[in-house]
Amino acid sequence: MAVRPDFATVRALLLFAGMTLAACVPVSDEARGAAMLATPGANPGIRTLSVMGGTQKVRGPDGYCVDRRTSRPTSGFAVMAGCALVSDAAVMPSVSGVITVQFGRTGTAI
């Protein structure tokens, strides 16, 4: 007597196989951004942030996005973490961490 797997088991196995194969295919930032923009209400993440009235720009390494909730661009302060942590993008850097950047006029450092 043959045992037939239930639908949920088959669906889970197919999903796992698809995710495994998708992880093997490199996806460009442009394609990833286009996919995120096609999703209504998605937050694709910000890779670059203008600070100090636009006089300076901050950009983290690949896989890092700006945390919009904690960054203060007008004060020259930016926080970056893995994109999957601070946006809807499912991208994480190869090295986990948090990056903080502070810009200011000469003599204003504490």
Side-chain angles (χ1 to χ4, degrees), residues 10-91:
V10 172
R11 187 172 64 181
L13 288 172
L14 288 174
L15 179 63
F16 177 74
M19 290 173 59
T20 303
L21 291 174
C24 297
V25 179
V27 178
S28 69
D29 283 341
E30 293 81 18
R32 189 176 299 112
M36 291 300 297
L37 290 174
T39 306
N43 171 11
I46 297 175
R47 295 290 317 279
T48 304
L49 180 69
S50 294
V51 296
M52 303 294 293
T55 61
Q56 304 293 326
K57 291 187 184 226
V58 177
R59 181 178 172 95
D62 288 342
Y64 283 85
C65 288
V66 174
D67 183 351
R68 294 189 243 191
R69 286 182 277 162
T70 56
S71 296
R72 303 289 179 257
T74 56
S75 300
F77 181 69
V79 176
M80 291 171 274
C83 291
L85 300 174
V86 296
S87 71
D88 293 333
V91 179

